[in-house]
Amino acid sequence: MRAARWVVRRGNPTKEEVLCRELGVRPKLARLLVGRGHDTPEKASAFLEAKLSTQLRSPMLFRDMERAADRVVRALTSGERIGVFGDYDVDGIAGSAILVGFLRALGHDPALYIPHRLREGYGLSERGLRALAAEGVRLVVTVDCGGASHREIAFAAEAGMDVIVCDHHQVSETRLPALAVLNPVEPDAGFPFSGLCGAGVAFYLALGVRMRLRELGWSPLPDLRRFLDLVTLGTVADIVPMVEENRVLVRYGLREIEKSLRPGLAALKDVSGVSSVNTGVVGFRLAPRLNAGGRLADATRGVELLVTPDAERARELARALDEENRARQRIEDEILTEALAMLEARDPRERRTIVLGSPDWHPGVVGIVASRLVDRFYRPTVLVGIDAARGLGRGSCRSIPAVDVYAALRKCASLLEGFGGHKMAAGLSIRPEKLEEFGERFEKAVREATSPEDFVPRTLVDDELRAEEVASALVEDLEQLEPFGPGNPEPVFLLRGAEVVSRRVVGSNHLRLFLRQGEHALSAIGFGMAELGELESGSTVDVLGVPERDDWSGGVRFRLKAVRPVAG
């Protein structure tokens, strides 16, 4: 990957001083708040409080929520069977678990259908709808899919089933023939926040149904706060903006995961070696294991893990998913090695895209490897696993902020069997003989929409820092900004001109540095940065990172994000 430019965010001393004076916050926190757009006392106070009771908008703002909630209530009161049709990724699994758990808590036995990634592919399908119809389903609720499924929804209607769509991906150019569509990215959705994930939309449907049931005097009603752990899984795993509703939901959802009241999450934390929980733990420890079933085998077990009340069954499922995750990691490493070997024949920087395919690649894993190639080469990347027997390739696309990969795929639509997704990530199916032509057209589409400057990564630095400022007070201030994610990134600080007093590699590939700046010293850790272990003692470096609590020492350390030697 090309070296990133470090760009220090410009401050606004006037607005920062107002926050310090009106809210009593320290200058560093005021700078971070203003830099994130919370630049008045009212905005900053609301952001820091993030209360469920005051900062979640009504589900009834969705254009079709009243119709959807009424239809679910009618099914509940008349004994009609409800089917949940979910996607096979973490967002779909978590959202499906929300609806299954919610309906079970109301005394209903919903049917569940999650398509098999390899045999069926993404999205609502006639095959799945037939299976639900065979179980007596009269109402289907999609989770994280269905946003553009005209043909399949029409088929459901012919089979005597109503469909409620809960999605956040695609927007249909014409009105879907569904009973109700809950999709916050639709221009006329009615809901003011478009950043909800599939699990978030499912949660809002549960909110709407609960409101209707309360009006009817239904009792007892489930406590929906107990489902915030599942909302958090989907929100963090799907990398949606960590602002507005999402930030509030995840802030409280992390507390639910911490409590481990759900047997499945307790077991998942146990096999993951997790004690304390934050968004990083959810995204890199819990979600990959939950996702492993859908990548290599059957995602339905992920939903079962999240809804089962049986602790022993939960442990059994968690162990199986952990083993599948290990298998996924091995396959991922093999694909990455092969992809890098393919790229050795040409310099990836000569092109603005990477498109590779192989019959030896598992379609359920190529998306993860595509992300790793994006991290390394900073290029939109498409990797395709080819099923030679079927004459079909299934691929995953990952992008960089300057490239709308979904828009680029639309320009290549005539070469594809199908595609879907959003700006930063998408999936596609393609005939192997068209892959080379697709690579050229995809390159052309991206080249026409970008400039060379778009392919120079930038790291936005929130502020400069002195070694003596890396202290508990600053860490406490940073914790007020959590949870972090897109739209609310973890703060990054620049420490200039630090002397490397000592360095050593710890664990398998982590770098521990002891740095000195003037008369002040601090401990620093760089996870996965062992390749920098050859830094010479006595050398001078600029470093980027974030102060955090050190659970081992009980003090504070500087977690490294980048190290740059200072010429001298």
Side-chain angles (χ1 to χ4, degrees):
M1 177 176 170
R2 296 169 66 178
R5 282 206 316 265
W6 297 359
V7 181
V8 180
R9 190 194 299 270
R10 295 179 62 182
N12 188 319
T14 301
K15 291 185 176 181
E16 292 163 18
E17 172 58 31
V18 171
L19 295 191
C20 290
R21 183 177 65 251
E22 297 294 324
L23 300 183
V25 299
R26 286 181 277 258
K28 291 292 183 190
L29 180 55
R31 182 182 175 97
L32 293 169
L33 288 166
V34 171
R36 283 155 173 73
H38 315 295
D39 55 1
T40 67
E42 294 75 21
K43 290 180 181 177
S45 179
F47 179 81
L48 292 174
E49 288 181 359
K51 291 183 178 179
L52 279 172
S53 58
T54 59
Q55 290 182 255
L56 292 187
R57 298 179 179 97
S58 170
M60 294 304 169
L61 292 175
F62 276 98
R63 177 195 65 206
D64 288 354
M65 181 59 78
E66 184 173 350
R67 186 182 301 117
D70 285 345
R71 182 64 182 90
V72 173
V73 169
R74 180 153 57 91
L76 290 171
T77 55
S78 65
E80 292 179 284
R81 196 164 192 208
I82 301 171
V84 176
F85 192 117
D87 187 25
Y88 45 62
D89 69 0
V90 175
D91 190 18
I93 290 169
S96 297
I98 289 170
L99 293 182
V100 169
F102 174 67
L103 292 171
R104 285 182 179 176
L106 292 170
H108 186 80
D109 178 28
L112 172 68
Y113 192 89
I114 307 284
H116 192 285
R117 181 189 291 263
L118 299 185
R119 291 195 295 265
E120 300 172 70
Y122 168 80
L124 196 61
S125 67
E126 292 185 10
R127 174 177 175 172
L129 290 169
R130 284 195 188 94
L132 290 175
E135 293 192 54
V137 167
R138 299 294 304 279
L139 172 63
V140 177
V141 183
T142 77
V143 179
D144 200 32
C145 61
S149 301
H150 283 264
R151 186 182 64 190
E152 291 79 10
I153 294 172
F155 173 82
E158 293 172 2
M161 297 185 292
D162 290 329
V163 177
I164 296 172
V165 173
C166 294
D167 199 4
H168 73 119
H169 290 111
Q170 301 164 305
V171 176
S172 176
E173 294 180 0
T174 58
R175 174 74 177 173
L176 288 170
L179 176 108
V181 178
L182 308 178
N183 188 339
V185 302
E186 287 195 332
D188 61 344
F191 197 73
F193 178 54
S194 63
L196 292 173
C197 67
V201 178
F203 179 76
Y204 264 83
L205 175 58
L207 275 175
V209 172
R210 190 182 187 280
M211 287 178 64
R212 279 288 187 257
L213 290 173
R214 184 174 58 192
E215 292 169 0
L216 294 171
W218 189 298
S219 182
L221 289 171
D223 183 351
L224 291 183
R225 289 175 298 182
R226 302 289 83 83
F227 293 90
L228 292 177
D229 51 358
L230 304 181
V231 180
T232 297
L233 286 173
T235 302
V236 173
D238 227 48
I239 320 179
V240 290
M242 196 61 69
V243 297
E244 301 191 42
E245 268 78 5
N246 285 343
R247 180 169 182 270
V248 179
L249 292 168
V250 171
R251 187 172 189 175
Y252 285 86
L254 289 172
R255 298 176 189 177
E256 291 296 318
I257 297 176
E258 194 84 54
K259 293 176 186 176
S260 298
L261 298 179
R262 187 180 301 277
L265 277 179
L268 198 62
K269 286 169 62 179
D270 185 54
V271 299
S272 305
V274 165
S275 52
S276 60
V277 178
N278 57 28
T279 53
V281 166
V282 173
F284 296 106
R285 304 284 288 280
L286 303 182
R289 288 169 169 82
L290 193 58
N291 215 5
R295 290 195 179 277
L296 301 183
D298 179 12
T300 305
R301 291 177 304 159
V303 179
E304 183 184 358
L305 172 70
L306 295 177
V307 300
T308 181
D310 186 332
E312 183 52 42
R313 177 59 176 160
R315 285 191 289 270
E316 178 185 330
L317 288 165
R319 286 192 293 266
L321 289 174
D322 184 56
E323 183 51 45
E324 286 180 4
N325 188 57
R326 296 176 193 276
R328 186 270 304 168
Q329 290 172 324
R330 291 191 292 269
I331 295 170
E332 177 187 332
D333 290 341
E334 292 170 0
I335 295 175
L336 179 63
T337 299
E338 293 176 16
L340 291 174
M342 291 179 181
L343 291 171
E344 283 183 0
R346 57 182 173 87
D347 185 350
R349 291 170 295 183
E350 294 178 356
R351 296 170 66 89
R352 296 185 184 178
T353 63
I354 295 172
V355 177
L356 301 171
S358 170
D360 299 323
W361 292 352
H362 195 297
V365 180
V366 290
I368 304 174
V369 182
S371 294
R372 293 178 66 177
L373 292 177
V374 171
D375 290 341
R376 183 172 298 208
F377 297 108
Y378 206 66
R379 296 287 186 273
T381 299
V382 181
L383 296 188
V384 179
I386 299 169
D387 184 339
R390 297 177 59 198
L392 187 67
R394 294 189 182 277
S396 290
C397 319
R398 298 294 183 268
S399 195
I400 60 176
V403 178
D404 184 337
V405 72
Y406 183 75
L409 289 179
R410 290 183 67 176
K411 293 185 177 181
C412 307
S414 63
L415 296 173
L416 303 174
E417 298 299 304
F419 69 97
H422 48 81
K423 179 178 179 179
M424 293 294 290
L428 61 84
S429 56
I430 186 172
R431 296 294 175 186
E433 63 271 16
K434 294 183 179 180
L435 187 59
E436 184 175 352
E437 185 181 355
F438 164 75
E440 294 305 318
R441 192 181 298 184
F442 185 68
E443 170 74 15
K444 183 175 184 290
V446 170
R447 189 170 288 273
E448 289 174 347
T450 57
S451 67
E453 189 70 12
D454 293 326
F455 298 88
V456 179
R458 299 195 320 158
T459 298
L460 186 60
V461 181
D462 287 281
D463 200 0
E464 295 195 31
L465 201 62
R466 301 289 301 174
E468 61 266 29
E469 295 177 294
V470 181
S472 296
L474 179 57
V475 172
E476 291 171 3
D477 284 346
L478 299 185
E479 289 173 345
Q480 294 187 61
L481 300 176
E482 295 178 347
F484 300 122
N488 183 39
E490 184 177 51
V492 177
F493 293 93
L494 169 59
L495 189 71
R496 293 187 187 271
E499 177 191 355
V500 178
V501 178
S502 65
R503 81 283 184 272
R504 62 190 177 94
V505 175
V506 297
S508 58
N509 63 340
H510 310 313
L511 175 67
R512 183 174 293 281
L513 297 179
F514 193 67
L515 302 173
R516 186 185 307 279
Q517 188 188 55
E519 297 182 357
H520 298 272
L522 75 157
S523 174
I525 182 75
F527 295 107
M529 299 174 69
E531 73 276 5
L532 298 177
E534 296 181 0
L535 284 171
E536 295 183 4
S537 295
S539 62
T540 302
V541 294
D542 294 337
V543 295
L544 296 183
V546 56
E548 67 177 14
R549 299 184 190 279
D550 186 346
D551 293 334
W552 293 102
S553 69
V556 173
R557 67 187 179 190
F558 197 66
R559 175 161 43 83
L560 299 169
K561 290 183 175 288
V563 178
R564 180 175 292 171
V566 175

